[in-house]
Amino acid sequence: MSDTATTGVSQSFQLKSASVSLTALELYYFDDTEFEANLREKISQAPGFFKDIPLVISLDKYEGPDRELDFFKIIGTCRRYNIHVIGVRAATDDQRRLARSAELPVLPGGSLREAKSEAPAQQPEAAPEPSPTLAQPAPAKVITQPVRSGQQITAPEGDLVILAPVQAGAEVLAAGDIHIYGPLRGRALAGIHGTEGARIFCQSLEAELVSIAGHYKISEDLQDNGWKSAVHIQLKDDLLVVKPLEKA
Amino acid sequence: MARIIVVTSGKGGVGKTTTSASISTGLAKHGQKTVVIDFDVGLRNLDLIMNCERRVVYDFVNVIQGEATLNQALIKDKRVDGLYILPASQTREKEALTKEGVEKVINELSETFDYIVCDSPAGIEHGALMALYHADEAIVVTNPEVSSVRDSDRILGILQSKSKRAENGLEPAKEHLLLTRYNPERVDKGEMLSVQDVEEILAIPLLGVIPESQVVLNASNQGLPVILEEDSDAGQAYEDAVARLLGEEREHRFLTAQRKGFFSRMFKGA
């Protein structure tokens, strides 16, 4: 007998816990004009990446006075650039009040400063997670044709394997790892649902952008390390690390 | 059933119409009954290069809209047997090319011709999509420079995803790279991409390399497909490309700079 039978009401929804990877904007101080100028500059580096993204304002590193925090202005400026502020990770009570008055939800996890003193008292992290039931891993998506400029290939569940070049102006995305047996000239985004352990492998790094779980580097920042050679890219301490792929 | 070849590039001004004129003329010279269609509605150029602009009465759009029959609109070439031109309209817009209309015309031509060459307009909009939709083979005309290569890559992607063959899950269109305006001396100086560079980036087989030449411009201005300039390097390069298209194996020529040696300078003109 299912619940619906006993209550006589059918379920129109189900509540589930979900973890979503978001971009956070760590605000150091707030000045309306500087904020807009900085934002414009960031967007110009990767216009497609920022379009219509949800954004969380994180105040962990905020050094300015709370009275200068104008969430209405922040929301307005972001919206002009098609960025949607969906919440605030506030550190102090004043900041929380300000966020609420701007009708922004206050997200947990931002109370680092206050939490610090409590940290030792907390449960050690060792509490082992209940081992998940053995689910079948999603099969890798395999592409044999070149991914050409303007094309986008997504593996929404598993890994993505490409046995051909990924051309400039093309974009490949995967929930898991991305393997490219050829040059990577376009954009590769691994771990799109927030898997920080995802990696990108390619035979020649000539990418416009690489991203793992939302942490990204653009071409300009990739030039000095492993450019035009076989590499693998992984996330270490929130930083993308490029390492040569050496033959074992 | 005719073989349908689209001549395309994405980028403008790389030599699509020049190539369409020469390839279609070359195919006809090899005894293949060929029609070349100008898809560049609104900016017709092909009839100028084929020197038949004064004989245009009806055009492609007239046929699509049922205002003329194919036989009324087709122009027979005066120089080469078995070559016909279907000119574009200058007074309409590209939206006049409906999918059904183009299909009907292509099907009708398919019954009597061996080859249908579609001269695509630049860009990746409606006109270009219509030109490549029915293609069995694609000649991607590329100049040895970065932006042209990028646009060719884009059009190859569109060919793979938006052509009739792609939509019906058939074997994809056969792709050919035709490199035009190639200047080996400038390649040596590092001012141009080399054949190897372009081949490596686009990863499709090379149909031919047309050297940059004054002859091409002169021929266009005179309304002569450059393939008919049989003594010129560009004309011979197009002839080689046509032979390869028909399955013949020919070595690529005009890839290296002519070294002007002592003797050739001494006996210049002799």
PDB file of all heavy atoms in Angstrom, chain B residues 232-263:
ATOM      1  N   SER B 232      47.070  29.179 -67.734  1.00  0.00           N
ATOM      2  CA  SER B 232      47.386  29.798 -66.441  1.00  0.00           C
ATOM      3  C   SER B 232      47.496  28.749 -65.341  1.00  0.00           C
ATOM      4  O   SER B 232      46.890  27.676 -65.432  1.00  0.00           O
ATOM      5  CB  SER B 232      46.299  30.809 -66.077  1.00  0.00           C
ATOM      6  OG  SER B 232      45.107  30.125 -65.761  1.00  0.00           O
ATOM      7  N   ASP B 233      48.262  29.077 -64.289  1.00  0.00           N
ATOM      8  CA  ASP B 233      48.390  28.132 -63.177  1.00  0.00           C
ATOM      9  C   ASP B 233      47.053  27.942 -62.471  1.00  0.00           C
ATOM     10  O   ASP B 233      46.679  26.825 -62.126  1.00  0.00           O
ATOM     11  CB  ASP B 233      49.500  28.571 -62.199  1.00  0.00           C
ATOM     12  CG  ASP B 233      49.418  30.030 -61.808  1.00  0.00           C
ATOM     13  OD1 ASP B 233      48.480  30.718 -62.272  1.00  0.00           O
ATOM     14  OD2 ASP B 233      50.286  30.491 -61.035  1.00  0.00           O
ATOM     15  N   ALA B 234      46.292  29.054 -62.291  1.00  0.00           N
ATOM     16  CA  ALA B 234      44.998  28.932 -61.605  1.00  0.00           C
ATOM     17  C   ALA B 234      44.039  28.058 -62.408  1.00  0.00           C
ATOM     18  O   ALA B 234      43.333  27.217 -61.839  1.00  0.00           O
ATOM     19  CB  ALA B 234      44.397  30.314 -61.369  1.00  0.00           C
ATOM     20  N   GLY B 235      44.026  28.249 -63.729  1.00  0.00           N
ATOM     21  CA  GLY B 235      43.163  27.438 -64.596  1.00  0.00           C
ATOM     22  C   GLY B 235      43.512  25.965 -64.490  1.00  0.00           C
ATOM     23  O   GLY B 235      42.623  25.107 -64.356  1.00  0.00           O
ATOM     24  N   GLN B 236      44.814  25.664 -64.501  1.00  0.00           N
ATOM     25  CA  GLN B 236      45.245  24.261 -64.406  1.00  0.00           C
ATOM     26  C   GLN B 236      44.929  23.679 -63.027  1.00  0.00           C
ATOM     27  O   GLN B 236      44.571  22.506 -62.915  1.00  0.00           O
ATOM     28  CB  GLN B 236      46.747  24.166 -64.679  1.00  0.00           C
ATOM     29  CG  GLN B 236      47.090  24.448 -66.130  1.00  0.00           C
ATOM     30  CD  GLN B 236      48.594  24.508 -66.366  1.00  0.00           C
ATOM     31  OE1 GLN B 236      49.378  24.027 -65.558  1.00  0.00           O
ATOM     32  NE2 GLN B 236      48.982  25.114 -67.486  1.00  0.00           N
ATOM     33  N   ALA B 237      45.056  24.521 -62.014  1.00  0.00           N
ATOM     34  CA  ALA B 237      44.758  24.034 -60.660  1.00  0.00           C
ATOM     35  C   ALA B 237      43.276  23.663 -60.549  1.00  0.00           C
ATOM     36  O   ALA B 237      42.921  22.661 -59.921  1.00  0.00           O
ATOM     37  CB  ALA B 237      45.126  25.096 -59.623  1.00  0.00           C
ATOM     38  N   TYR B 238      42.403  24.471 -61.163  1.00  0.00           N
ATOM     39  CA  TYR B 238      40.972  24.133 -61.163  1.00  0.00           C
ATOM     40  C   TYR B 238      40.711  22.858 -61.958  1.00  0.00           C
ATOM     41  O   TYR B 238      39.906  22.012 -61.575  1.00  0.00           O
ATOM     42  CB  TYR B 238      40.134  25.291 -61.720  1.00  0.00           C
ATOM     43  CG  TYR B 238      39.682  26.266 -60.655  1.00  0.00           C
ATOM     44  CD1 TYR B 238      40.072  27.597 -60.690  1.00  0.00           C
ATOM     45  CD2 TYR B 238      38.856  25.856 -59.612  1.00  0.00           C
ATOM     46  CE1 TYR B 238      39.663  28.505 -59.714  1.00  0.00           C
ATOM     47  CE2 TYR B 238      38.440  26.742 -58.631  1.00  0.00           C
ATOM     48  CZ  TYR B 238      38.840  28.063 -58.687  1.00  0.00           C
ATOM     49  OH  TYR B 238      38.428  28.938 -57.722  1.00  0.00           O
ATOM     50  N   GLU B 239      41.412  22.712 -63.093  1.00  0.00           N
ATOM     51  CA  GLU B 239      41.260  21.500 -63.902  1.00  0.00           C
ATOM     52  C   GLU B 239      41.648  20.261 -63.082  1.00  0.00           C
ATOM     53  O   GLU B 239      40.946  19.248 -63.104  1.00  0.00           O
ATOM     54  CB  GLU B 239      42.115  21.643 -65.176  1.00  0.00           C
ATOM     55  CG  GLU B 239      42.289  20.384 -66.005  1.00  0.00           C
ATOM     56  CD  GLU B 239      40.985  19.734 -66.451  1.00  0.00           C
ATOM     57  OE1 GLU B 239      40.000  20.479 -66.662  1.00  0.00           O
ATOM     58  OE2 GLU B 239      40.946  18.487 -66.562  1.00  0.00           O
ATOM     59  N   ASP B 240      42.742  20.370 -62.317  1.00  0.00           N
ATOM     60  CA  ASP B 240      43.153  19.262 -61.443  1.00  0.00           C
ATOM     61  C   ASP B 240      42.061  18.947 -60.417  1.00  0.00           C
ATOM     62  O   ASP B 240      41.749  17.781 -60.163  1.00  0.00           O
ATOM     63  CB  ASP B 240      44.434  19.634 -60.666  1.00  0.00           C
ATOM     64  CG  ASP B 240      45.671  19.569 -61.556  1.00  0.00           C
ATOM     65  OD1 ASP B 240      45.543  19.163 -62.727  1.00  0.00           O
ATOM     66  OD2 ASP B 240      46.759  19.942 -61.069  1.00  0.00           O
ATOM     67  N   ALA B 241      41.498  20.010 -59.848  1.00  0.00           N
ATOM     68  CA  ALA B 241      40.476  19.821 -58.812  1.00  0.00           C
ATOM     69  C   ALA B 241      39.260  19.087 -59.382  1.00  0.00           C
ATOM     70  O   ALA B 241      38.705  18.188 -58.728  1.00  0.00           O
ATOM     71  CB  ALA B 241      40.062  21.169 -58.221  1.00  0.00           C
ATOM     72  N   VAL B 242      38.854  19.459 -60.606  1.00  0.00           N
ATOM     73  CA  VAL B 242      37.703  18.802 -61.231  1.00  0.00           C
ATOM     74  C   VAL B 242      38.010  17.328 -61.475  1.00  0.00           C
ATOM     75  O   VAL B 242      37.186  16.444 -61.196  1.00  0.00           O
ATOM     76  CB  VAL B 242      37.318  19.516 -62.549  1.00  0.00           C
ATOM     77  CG1 VAL B 242      36.281  18.704 -63.308  1.00  0.00           C
ATOM     78  CG2 VAL B 242      36.786  20.907 -62.250  1.00  0.00           C
ATOM     79  N   ALA B 243      39.229  17.059 -61.968  1.00  0.00           N
ATOM     80  CA  ALA B 243      39.615  15.663 -62.224  1.00  0.00           C
ATOM     81  C   ALA B 243      39.569  14.854 -60.931  1.00  0.00           C
ATOM     82  O   ALA B 243      39.083  13.720 -60.902  1.00  0.00           O
ATOM     83  CB  ALA B 243      41.013  15.610 -62.832  1.00  0.00           C
ATOM     84  N   ARG B 244      40.035  15.459 -59.824  1.00  0.00           N
ATOM     85  CA  ARG B 244      39.999  14.754 -58.533  1.00  0.00           C
ATOM     86  C   ARG B 244      38.561  14.514 -58.081  1.00  0.00           C
ATOM     87  O   ARG B 244      38.233  13.469 -57.532  1.00  0.00           O
ATOM     88  CB  ARG B 244      40.742  15.560 -57.462  1.00  0.00           C
ATOM     89  CG  ARG B 244      42.244  15.507 -57.630  1.00  0.00           C
ATOM     90  CD  ARG B 244      42.981  16.180 -56.464  1.00  0.00           C
ATOM     91  NE  ARG B 244      44.290  16.599 -56.931  1.00  0.00           N
ATOM     92  CZ  ARG B 244      44.640  17.860 -57.149  1.00  0.00           C
ATOM     93  NH1 ARG B 244      43.795  18.845 -56.897  1.00  0.00           N
ATOM     94  NH2 ARG B 244      45.831  18.156 -57.614  1.00  0.00           N
ATOM     95  N   LEU B 245      37.718  15.514 -58.332  1.00  0.00           N
ATOM     96  CA  LEU B 245      36.303  15.386 -57.963  1.00  0.00           C
ATOM     97  C   LEU B 245      35.684  14.187 -58.689  1.00  0.00           C
ATOM     98  O   LEU B 245      34.812  13.503 -58.151  1.00  0.00           O
ATOM     99  CB  LEU B 245      35.581  16.682 -58.358  1.00  0.00           C
ATOM    100  CG  LEU B 245      34.293  17.049 -57.661  1.00  0.00           C
ATOM    101  CD1 LEU B 245      34.486  17.159 -56.170  1.00  0.00           C
ATOM    102  CD2 LEU B 245      33.778  18.385 -58.207  1.00  0.00           C
ATOM    103  N   LEU B 246      36.155  13.925 -59.914  1.00  0.00           N
ATOM    104  CA  LEU B 246      35.627  12.818 -60.707  1.00  0.00           C
ATOM    105  C   LEU B 246      36.361  11.514 -60.412  1.00  0.00           C
ATOM    106  O   LEU B 246      36.169  10.513 -61.094  1.00  0.00           O
ATOM    107  CB  LEU B 246      35.719  13.154 -62.200  1.00  0.00           C
ATOM    108  CG  LEU B 246      34.761  14.267 -62.654  1.00  0.00           C
ATOM    109  CD1 LEU B 246      35.116  14.759 -64.045  1.00  0.00           C
ATOM    110  CD2 LEU B 246      33.317  13.793 -62.613  1.00  0.00           C
ATOM    111  N   GLY B 247      37.239  11.545 -59.411  1.00  0.00           N
ATOM    112  CA  GLY B 247      37.836  10.298 -58.946  1.00  0.00           C
ATOM    113  C   GLY B 247      39.244  10.044 -59.428  1.00  0.00           C
ATOM    114  O   GLY B 247      39.855   9.026 -59.089  1.00  0.00           O
ATOM    115  N   GLU B 248      39.791  10.952 -60.234  1.00  0.00           N
ATOM    116  CA  GLU B 248      41.150  10.756 -60.734  1.00  0.00           C
ATOM    117  C   GLU B 248      42.153  11.147 -59.644  1.00  0.00           C
ATOM    118  O   GLU B 248      41.875  12.049 -58.857  1.00  0.00           O
ATOM    119  CB  GLU B 248      41.340  11.681 -61.944  1.00  0.00           C
ATOM    120  CG  GLU B 248      42.295  11.155 -62.995  1.00  0.00           C
ATOM    121  CD  GLU B 248      42.345  12.109 -64.179  1.00  0.00           C
ATOM    122  OE1 GLU B 248      41.292  12.287 -64.849  1.00  0.00           O
ATOM    123  OE2 GLU B 248      43.403  12.691 -64.412  1.00  0.00           O
ATOM    124  N   GLU B 249      43.310  10.492 -59.624  1.00  0.00           N
ATOM    125  CA  GLU B 249      44.347  10.885 -58.658  1.00  0.00           C
ATOM    126  C   GLU B 249      45.344  11.798 -59.345  1.00  0.00           C
ATOM    127  O   GLU B 249      45.942  11.418 -60.340  1.00  0.00           O
ATOM    128  CB  GLU B 249      45.061   9.637 -58.128  1.00  0.00           C
ATOM    129  CG  GLU B 249      44.159   8.763 -57.286  1.00  0.00           C
ATOM    130  CD  GLU B 249      44.796   8.392 -55.956  1.00  0.00           C
ATOM    131  OE1 GLU B 249      45.994   8.654 -55.780  1.00  0.00           O
ATOM    132  OE2 GLU B 249      44.066   7.857 -55.108  1.00  0.00           O
ATOM    133  N   ARG B 250      45.496  12.982 -58.837  1.00  0.00           N
ATOM    134  CA  ARG B 250      46.486  13.885 -59.406  1.00  0.00           C
ATOM    135  C   ARG B 250      47.294  14.514 -58.296  1.00  0.00           C
ATOM    136  O   ARG B 250      46.750  14.847 -57.245  1.00  0.00           O
ATOM    137  CB  ARG B 250      45.798  15.005 -60.206  1.00  0.00           C
ATOM    138  CG  ARG B 250      45.223  14.536 -61.511  1.00  0.00           C
ATOM    139  CD  ARG B 250      45.064  15.702 -62.460  1.00  0.00           C
ATOM    140  NE  ARG B 250      44.346  15.250 -63.653  1.00  0.00           N
ATOM    141  CZ  ARG B 250      43.986  16.062 -64.634  1.00  0.00           C
ATOM    142  NH1 ARG B 250      44.265  17.354 -64.553  1.00  0.00           N
ATOM    143  NH2 ARG B 250      43.343  15.594 -65.691  1.00  0.00           N
ATOM    144  N   GLU B 251      48.564  14.699 -58.551  1.00  0.00           N
ATOM    145  CA  GLU B 251      49.431  15.296 -57.547  1.00  0.00           C
ATOM    146  C   GLU B 251      49.108  16.792 -57.403  1.00  0.00           C
ATOM    147  O   GLU B 251      48.758  17.447 -58.388  1.00  0.00           O
ATOM    148  CB  GLU B 251      50.885  15.107 -57.962  1.00  0.00           C
ATOM    149  CG  GLU B 251      51.823  15.082 -56.782  1.00  0.00           C
ATOM    150  CD  GLU B 251      53.201  14.578 -57.188  1.00  0.00           C
ATOM    151  OE1 GLU B 251      53.258  13.557 -57.920  1.00  0.00           O
ATOM    152  OE2 GLU B 251      54.182  15.210 -56.798  1.00  0.00           O
ATOM    153  N   HIS B 252      49.238  17.303 -56.186  1.00  0.00           N
ATOM    154  CA  HIS B 252      48.979  18.730 -55.992  1.00  0.00           C
ATOM    155  C   HIS B 252      50.137  19.558 -56.529  1.00  0.00           C
ATOM    156  O   HIS B 252      51.297  19.251 -56.304  1.00  0.00           O
ATOM    157  CB  HIS B 252      48.755  19.024 -54.506  1.00  0.00           C
ATOM    158  CG  HIS B 252      47.442  18.508 -54.014  1.00  0.00           C
ATOM    159  ND1 HIS B 252      46.255  19.163 -54.251  1.00  0.00           N
ATOM    160  CD2 HIS B 252      47.123  17.375 -53.342  1.00  0.00           C
ATOM    161  CE1 HIS B 252      45.268  18.457 -53.727  1.00  0.00           C
ATOM    162  NE2 HIS B 252      45.754  17.370 -53.178  1.00  0.00           N
ATOM    163  N   ARG B 253      49.792  20.623 -57.250  1.00  0.00           N
ATOM    164  CA  ARG B 253      50.834  21.490 -57.832  1.00  0.00           C
ATOM    165  C   ARG B 253      50.750  22.896 -57.233  1.00  0.00           C
ATOM    166  O   ARG B 253      49.826  23.209 -56.510  1.00  0.00           O
ATOM    167  CB  ARG B 253      50.629  21.584 -59.340  1.00  0.00           C
ATOM    168  CG  ARG B 253      50.774  20.245 -60.053  1.00  0.00           C
ATOM    169  CD  ARG B 253      50.802  20.447 -61.547  1.00  0.00           C
ATOM    170  NE  ARG B 253      49.464  20.595 -62.102  1.00  0.00           N
ATOM    171  CZ  ARG B 253      49.232  20.964 -63.371  1.00  0.00           C
ATOM    172  NH1 ARG B 253      50.247  21.254 -64.177  1.00  0.00           N
ATOM    173  NH2 ARG B 253      48.002  21.060 -63.814  1.00  0.00           N
ATOM    174  N   PHE B 254      51.672  23.721 -57.589  1.00  0.00           N
ATOM    175  CA  PHE B 254      51.692  25.151 -57.221  1.00  0.00           C
ATOM    176  C   PHE B 254      51.740  25.361 -55.701  1.00  0.00           C
ATOM    177  O   PHE B 254      51.184  26.311 -55.180  1.00  0.00           O
ATOM    178  CB  PHE B 254      50.475  25.902 -57.807  1.00  0.00           C
ATOM    179  CG  PHE B 254      50.166  25.505 -59.219  1.00  0.00           C
ATOM    180  CD1 PHE B 254      48.999  24.809 -59.527  1.00  0.00           C
ATOM    181  CD2 PHE B 254      51.045  25.825 -60.247  1.00  0.00           C
ATOM    182  CE1 PHE B 254      48.717  24.436 -60.828  1.00  0.00           C
ATOM    183  CE2 PHE B 254      50.762  25.456 -61.549  1.00  0.00           C
ATOM    184  CZ  PHE B 254      49.598  24.760 -61.849  1.00  0.00           C
ATOM    185  N   LEU B 255      52.365  24.420 -54.993  1.00  0.00           N
ATOM    186  CA  LEU B 255      52.398  24.535 -53.535  1.00  0.00           C
ATOM    187  C   LEU B 255      53.663  25.221 -53.033  1.00  0.00           C
ATOM    188  O   LEU B 255      53.716  25.665 -51.902  1.00  0.00           O
ATOM    189  CB  LEU B 255      52.326  23.147 -52.881  1.00  0.00           C
ATOM    190  CG  LEU B 255      51.090  22.313 -53.193  1.00  0.00           C
ATOM    191  CD1 LEU B 255      51.088  21.056 -52.348  1.00  0.00           C
ATOM    192  CD2 LEU B 255      49.825  23.104 -52.941  1.00  0.00           C
ATOM    193  N   THR B 256      54.697  25.267 -53.883  1.00  0.00           N
ATOM    194  CA  THR B 256      55.950  25.866 -53.418  1.00  0.00           C
ATOM    195  C   THR B 256      56.281  27.101 -54.241  1.00  0.00           C
ATOM    196  O   THR B 256      55.863  27.231 -55.392  1.00  0.00           O
ATOM    197  CB  THR B 256      57.116  24.859 -53.541  1.00  0.00           C
ATOM    198  OG1 THR B 256      57.072  24.300 -54.856  1.00  0.00           O
ATOM    199  CG2 THR B 256      56.985  23.755 -52.513  1.00  0.00           C
ATOM    200  N   ALA B 257      57.030  27.993 -53.637  1.00  0.00           N
ATOM    201  CA  ALA B 257      57.394  29.240 -54.316  1.00  0.00           C
ATOM    202  C   ALA B 257      58.329  28.925 -55.470  1.00  0.00           C
ATOM    203  O   ALA B 257      59.189  28.058 -55.376  1.00  0.00           O
ATOM    204  CB  ALA B 257      58.071  30.176 -53.321  1.00  0.00           C
ATOM    205  N   GLN B 258      58.109  29.623 -56.588  1.00  0.00           N
ATOM    206  CA  GLN B 258      59.009  29.462 -57.732  1.00  0.00           C
ATOM    207  C   GLN B 258      60.328  30.132 -57.385  1.00  0.00           C
ATOM    208  O   GLN B 258      60.381  31.326 -57.137  1.00  0.00           O
ATOM    209  CB  GLN B 258      58.415  30.148 -58.973  1.00  0.00           C
ATOM    210  CG  GLN B 258      57.090  29.565 -59.435  1.00  0.00           C
ATOM    211  CD  GLN B 258      57.270  28.231 -60.143  1.00  0.00           C
ATOM    212  OE1 GLN B 258      58.292  28.007 -60.785  1.00  0.00           O
ATOM    213  NE2 GLN B 258      56.292  27.353 -60.003  1.00  0.00           N
ATOM    214  N   ARG B 259      61.400  29.342 -57.362  1.00  0.00           N
ATOM    215  CA  ARG B 259      62.712  29.952 -57.130  1.00  0.00           C
ATOM    216  C   ARG B 259      63.188  30.514 -58.459  1.00  0.00           C
ATOM    217  O   ARG B 259      63.395  29.780 -59.419  1.00  0.00           O
ATOM    218  CB  ARG B 259      63.702  28.901 -56.635  1.00  0.00           C
ATOM    219  CG  ARG B 259      63.304  28.293 -55.309  1.00  0.00           C
ATOM    220  CD  ARG B 259      64.104  28.895 -54.162  1.00  0.00           C
ATOM    221  NE  ARG B 259      63.668  28.319 -52.896  1.00  0.00           N
ATOM    222  CZ  ARG B 259      62.648  28.807 -52.187  1.00  0.00           C
ATOM    223  NH1 ARG B 259      61.973  29.860 -52.631  1.00  0.00           N
ATOM    224  NH2 ARG B 259      62.294  28.248 -51.055  1.00  0.00           N
ATOM    225  N   LYS B 260      63.369  31.827 -58.486  1.00  0.00           N
ATOM    226  CA  LYS B 260      63.874  32.437 -59.722  1.00  0.00           C
ATOM    227  C   LYS B 260      65.384  32.210 -59.767  1.00  0.00           C
ATOM    228  O   LYS B 260      66.157  32.925 -59.155  1.00  0.00           O
ATOM    229  CB  LYS B 260      63.541  33.930 -59.737  1.00  0.00           C
ATOM    230  CG  LYS B 260      62.075  34.193 -60.046  1.00  0.00           C
ATOM    231  CD  LYS B 260      61.934  35.009 -61.325  1.00  0.00           C
ATOM    232  CE  LYS B 260      60.529  34.940 -61.902  1.00  0.00           C
ATOM    233  NZ  LYS B 260      59.539  35.590 -61.079  1.00  0.00           N
ATOM    234  N   GLY B 261      65.830  31.179 -60.482  1.00  0.00           N
ATOM    235  CA  GLY B 261      67.245  30.837 -60.557  1.00  0.00           C
ATOM    236  C   GLY B 261      67.990  31.726 -61.534  1.00  0.00           C
ATOM    237  O   GLY B 261      67.384  32.558 -62.228  1.00  0.00           O
ATOM    238  N   PHE B 262      69.277  31.569 -61.575  1.00  0.00           N
ATOM    239  CA  PHE B 262      70.142  32.363 -62.438  1.00  0.00           C
ATOM    240  C   PHE B 262      69.733  32.216 -63.906  1.00  0.00           C
ATOM    241  O   PHE B 262      69.528  33.181 -64.625  1.00  0.00           O
ATOM    242  CB  PHE B 262      71.589  31.898 -62.239  1.00  0.00           C
ATOM    243  CG  PHE B 262      72.559  32.564 -63.158  1.00  0.00           C
ATOM    244  CD1 PHE B 262      72.876  33.910 -62.980  1.00  0.00           C
ATOM    245  CD2 PHE B 262      73.143  31.864 -64.205  1.00  0.00           C
ATOM    246  CE1 PHE B 262      73.768  34.517 -63.834  1.00  0.00           C
ATOM    247  CE2 PHE B 262      74.036  32.482 -65.053  1.00  0.00           C
ATOM    248  CZ  PHE B 262      74.357  33.805 -64.877  1.00  0.00           C
ATOM    249  N   PHE B 263      69.517  30.951 -64.321  1.00  0.00           N
ATOM    250  CA  PHE B 263      69.226  30.711 -65.734  1.00  0.00           C
ATOM    251  C   PHE B 263      67.868  31.252 -66.146  1.00  0.00           C
ATOM    252  O   PHE B 263      67.747  31.878 -67.190  1.00  0.00           O
ATOM    253  CB  PHE B 263      69.327  29.214 -66.050  1.00  0.00           C
ATOM    254  CG  PHE B 263      70.753  28.769 -66.154  1.00  0.00           C
ATOM    255  CD1 PHE B 263      71.365  28.126 -65.097  1.00  0.00           C
ATOM    256  CD2 PHE B 263      71.481  29.041 -67.307  1.00  0.00           C
ATOM    257  CE1 PHE B 263      72.690  27.736 -65.177  1.00  0.00           C
ATOM    258  CE2 PHE B 263      72.808  28.646 -67.398  1.00  0.00           C
ATOM    259  CZ  PHE B 263      73.422  27.997 -66.342  1.00  0.00           C
TER     260      PHE B 263
END
